[in-house]
Amino acid sequence: MNNFENVNLKALKKKAYNLRWAEVEDGVIPLTAADPDYPCSDEIKKAMMEYIEDGYFSYTPKMGLESFRESFARYVFETKGEKIDPKLVLPVDSAARAMFIIARAFLKPGDEMIVFDPCDFLFREACLSAGATPVSFSCPIDTKTRKMDLTHLEEYITPKTRMLGLCNPHNPYGLTYTVEELDYIMKICEKYDLYIMNDEIWSDIIYKDAKFNSIYSLGNDRCDRVLSLFGYSKSFGLAGLRIGNLYCTNEDNFNRLVEASDVLSTAGGATSISQVAASAAMDKTKEWKEELIEHLMGNRDYAVDYINNEIPGLKAYKPMGTYLLYADISEYGMSGKDFTEYLKKEVKLAIVPGGHQFFGDQSEGHVRICFATSREILSEGLRRLKEGVLRLKGDK
């Protein structure tokens, strides 16, 4: 039995950056970046230790370790039903890098890319890195049905549109797509001959009361235009190893990705030990991951119940996937940035603000809370959130 209550704060204060423990003042609880507070599984640590035992860190094959590529193809077939040829899998240094490679390979200055708003800022930044223009598709959510409104998507297509970004499960909403929604998106992309940047980094974190449908469920014969990425930070706690991968079903498109990745010159690629760790994650952690999901589901339900019943003026919904809560703070009439700065100063709680920087303009009036931590830390964080809101009501 794994103990996900065993959070090593001493280690996190030294190692957990990107808005987290190592970057906040002492005493601040950071429920911020989408990175777990748990150590990786023993199976991953063991695989890494075995690899380094002989002391050799030689060059890897330019296209990545064959064992990694085979593990990935096997893993996505067993977990998501995706039929991916190992020869069309390329390890790179993070899922974020994979997004930038896709943009570099298939976009050019003057092109446009449809980016959902709200959505993770890396879609926008990847597009900009290629000199292309991100076009924000305002994608509100129906609070009753908990569905994204896709009905106006086609109106955002112009003669310059070349790509659409698909975040599945969606960050920050925490929603998965139905097969019907994916078919609707695909038909638009088929009609206008658009590529799809398909981000499935959250597809491992799916709760028992939800279902994940990959766009590949539409059939590989319709997915030549799909350029996919995956990573190992969210599910397995390997962000610091900088490991992710690209994959697709079309060989010509794959070759374009390889060319844009710089792996053939050895300027790009993923480290050997990172590939070993990711392979162990895919091959040997099934039981660990099941226990993780169970723990996260308990945290999810606890946090949503607490926010909705204990904190006046805030509203949160149960995510179907991810370990992130997207909470509505609009009743307080503050920007997400002002609200989160207030909490950090007044009650020593750090959370992520909505707004243009992280999720797009349509996320203003919201915050995002990460609950991938111990129940003890989460409980104290939520208690501080309540205290901060009550102080704010008093201030007003």
Side-chain angles (χ1 to χ4, degrees), residues 1-2 27 29 34 39 67 109 171-172 193 240 260 311 313 354:
M1 176 67 69
N2 295 289
I29 293 178
S67 57
N171 170 19
D193 194 21
I311 304 180

Side-chain angles (χ1 to χ4, degrees), residues 26 126 236 276 369:
D26 287 344
F236 304 107
V276 167
I369 302 168

Side-chain angles (χ1 to χ4, degrees), residues 218-231:
L218 301 178
N220 281 11
D221 58 324
R222 297 181 67 189
C223 288
D224 275 0
R225 67 186 66 252
V226 178
L227 311 162
S228 296
L229 59 113
F230 188 71

Side-chain angles (χ1 to χ4, degrees), residues 31-64:
L31 304 180
T32 49
D35 191 27
D37 280 348
Y38 324 113
C40 71
S41 74
D42 290 340
E43 292 82 3
I44 295 174
K45 288 187 287 186
K46 182 180 178 182
M48 295 174 72
M49 293 299 291
E50 289 176 350
Y51 181 78
I52 70 173
E53 187 174 8
D54 61 17
Y56 283 91
F57 298 93
S58 303
Y59 285 106
T60 61
K62 293 182 176 66
M63 300 294 291

Side-chain angles (χ1 to χ4, degrees), residues 62-63 90 255 258-259 261-269:
K62 293 182 176 66
M63 300 294 291
L90 181 70
N255 289 337
V258 171
E259 183 178 355
S261 72
D262 293 322
V263 298
L264 297 181
S265 68
T266 72

Side-chain angles (χ1 to χ4, degrees), residues 267-288:
T271 67
S272 56
I273 197 166
S274 297
Q275 293 181 59
V276 167
S279 294
M282 292 183 284
D283 294 341
K284 301 177 180 179
T285 66
K286 182 178 180 180
E287 180 180 338
W288 179 89

Side-chain angles (χ1 to χ4, degrees), residues 169-228:
H170 185 278
N171 170 19
Y173 282 150
L175 296 177
T176 58
Y177 292 83
T178 65
V179 173
E180 291 75 21
E181 288 169 333
L182 293 171
D183 179 66
Y184 176 77
I185 292 170
M186 179 64 85
K187 284 178 178 176
I188 290 175
C189 292
E190 290 170 338
K191 180 178 179 180
Y192 294 97
D193 194 21
L194 307 182
Y195 293 106
I196 297 173
M197 181 187 291
N198 176 46
D199 173 8
E200 294 191 4
I201 194 171
W202 284 108
S203 58
D204 276 339
I205 308 296
I206 305 295
Y207 297 105
K208 294 181 179 179
D209 51 7
K211 181 182 180 182
F212 174 75
N213 298 293
S214 168
I215 196 163
Y216 292 100
S217 66
L218 301 178
N220 281 11
D221 58 324
R222 297 181 67 189
C223 288
D224 275 0
R225 67 186 66 252
V226 178
L227 311 162
S228 296

